[in-house]
Amino acid sequence: MSVLSVQQISKNYGAVKALNNVSFEVPQGSVYGILGPNGSGKTTLLGIVMDVLKASGGEFRWNGQPGDADQRKKIGTLLETPNFYSYLSAEKNLEIAACIKERGLDDIDRVLQMVNLHQRRTSKFNTYSLGMKQRLAIASALLGDPDILVFDEPTNGLDPAGIAEIRELIIELNRQGKTIIMASHILDEVERVCTHVTIIQKGVLKTSGTVQEVLSASGETDVLVEIAADDATGLETIIRQFPGVKDVKVFGHVLSVLCTENVSAGQINKYCFEKGVVLTQLNMKKKNLETRFLEITGKQSDR
């Protein structure tokens, strides 16, 4: 069952097409990543499905129904930088948020515990770290216990520790049965938490599917192996002669070796040993989401 169905959504700003006939389906229970370079249309798309912006064409449905005010009340959202009163506590800020949302006033203790802020519930917002502020914004989105959460760049501006905090929170929320839709440009984080992904560039949908489907869609089955030895020159000479090697690149004392799919780590290790070279490093590398993303979009921002 699709939680969100987007059909031929377009958004024009004069002659500029921010979105051009974008369509995809978000399965129930998924963590769905919407990826794209800066300026690709991710935030515009989320604004449309949350009815903050009006589409120029196309339609979307939440749980099979057209988007309306009642539907939106059942969705927890974080679309902008957390905006709370700096001189008020977490509790007081969430009370205000609950009154505005008309839901969740009796839910404040629970959501603060979920985001690990209950012990700091009486602390003023301006004493919070960036990670804590972002977790409070997610707590606000969780008021009323919505089954669907929509986050725009939930780790934006955070340090590595803050990013890890939000990552673990998203994983835990999904374990509890929440469907999470998140726009992001931090590819490593998306690969760690998302089950499905859509990639948008210049308002055009480039690919969509499970993370594994997107990674394997290029049809390439080559493997990348990183190897090193004390005798780096000798290693390079012999590895170029190994059956199945297609290319060798040298990065300092490490060789990056592109091989056909049937090559295994054991075969390489045995071959080098028999040729008199003992490997000090041997890593089989898989294609990651960043590599695939750059294959699809190139290296330029859309701005």
Side-chain angles (χ1 to χ4, degrees), residues 259-302:
C259 306
T260 54
E261 64 175 320
N262 59 335
V263 172
S264 70
Q267 290 172 331
I268 292 176
N269 193 38
K270 181 181 178 182
Y271 172 81
C272 292
F273 184 78
E274 289 175 346
K275 294 293 184 179
V277 176
V278 176
L279 296 179
T280 58
Q281 179 177 328
L282 173 57
N283 296 320
M284 301 293 287
K285 307 283 284 186
K286 70 173 183 177
K287 179 180 288 186
N288 61 20
L289 191 57
E290 180 175 8
T291 304
R292 183 72 184 117
F293 180 85
L294 292 176
E295 287 175 354
I296 294 170
T297 66
K299 298 182 179 181
Q300 300 299 316
S301 167
D302 286 347

Side-chain angles (χ1 to χ4, degrees), residues 77-90 92-98 100-101 125-126 128-130 132-141 143 152:
T77 61
L78 170 57
L79 295 186
E80 298 178 349
T81 302
N83 187 20
F84 294 105
Y85 292 101
S86 62
Y87 54 87
L88 293 181
S89 68
K92 291 296 183 183
N93 272 300
L94 290 185
E95 285 177 13
I96 293 170
I100 293 171
K101 296 169 187 275
F125 181 72
N126 60 14
Y128 279 12
S129 67
L130 276 175
M132 293 168 69
K133 290 176 179 178
Q134 201 76 344
R135 279 189 282 145
L136 184 61
I138 292 175
S140 178
L143 289 169
D152 186 14

Side-chain angles (χ1 to χ4, degrees), residues 156-171:
N156 193 33
L158 301 185
D159 61 16
I163 290 172
E165 286 180 357
I166 302 304
R167 178 205 312 147
E168 293 306 316
L169 179 56
I170 288 172
I171 292 172

Side-chain angles (χ1 to χ4, degrees), residues 11-71:
K11 177 63 176 177
N12 303 329
Y13 293 100
V16 177
K17 282 187 173 292
L19 293 171
N20 189 6
N21 295 323
V22 173
S23 300
F24 60 87
E25 306 276 335
V26 177
Q28 185 176 24
S30 63
V31 181
Y32 202 101
I34 300 173
L35 297 179
N38 289 332
S40 61
K42 305 185 299 294
T43 297
T44 298
L45 177 60
L46 292 186
I48 288 171
V49 299
M50 292 312 303
D51 214 20
V52 175
L53 299 172
K54 294 297 181 183
S56 303
E59 65 174 15
F60 63 90
R61 290 177 176 266
W62 290 103
N63 294 316
Q65 302 297 319
D68 57 25
D70 287 337
Q71 287 280 353

Side-chain angles (χ1 to χ4, degrees), residues 183-287:
S184 182
H185 66 277
I186 304 179
L187 305 178
D188 180 57
E189 288 305 311
V190 168
E191 189 168 4
R192 293 189 192 197
V193 304
C194 288
T195 59
H196 296 69
V197 66
T198 280
I199 296 178
I200 299 175
Q201 183 179 33
K202 295 181 179 179
V204 176
L205 188 146
K206 293 293 187 177
T207 188
S208 187
T210 67
V211 171
Q212 191 54 49
E213 286 170 348
V214 170
L215 287 175
S216 60
S218 66
E220 296 179 3
T221 54
D222 296 338
V223 296
L224 191 64
V225 186
E226 291 182 349
I227 56 176
D230 292 336
D231 182 6
T233 302
L235 175 60
E236 182 181 356
T237 300
I238 66 168
I239 202 63
R240 289 186 182 277
Q241 301 168 16
F242 180 72
V245 168
K246 299 175 70 174
D247 188 31
V248 178
K249 289 184 170 62
V250 181
F251 298 95
H253 68 285
V254 176
L255 302 184
S256 180
V257 185
L258 185 67
C259 306
T260 54
E261 64 175 320
N262 59 335
V263 172
S264 70
Q267 290 172 331
I268 292 176
N269 193 38
K270 181 181 178 182
Y271 172 81
C272 292
F273 184 78
E274 289 175 346
K275 294 293 184 179
V277 176
V278 176
L279 296 179
T280 58
Q281 179 177 328
L282 173 57
N283 296 320
M284 301 293 287
K285 307 283 284 186
K286 70 173 183 177
K287 179 180 288 186

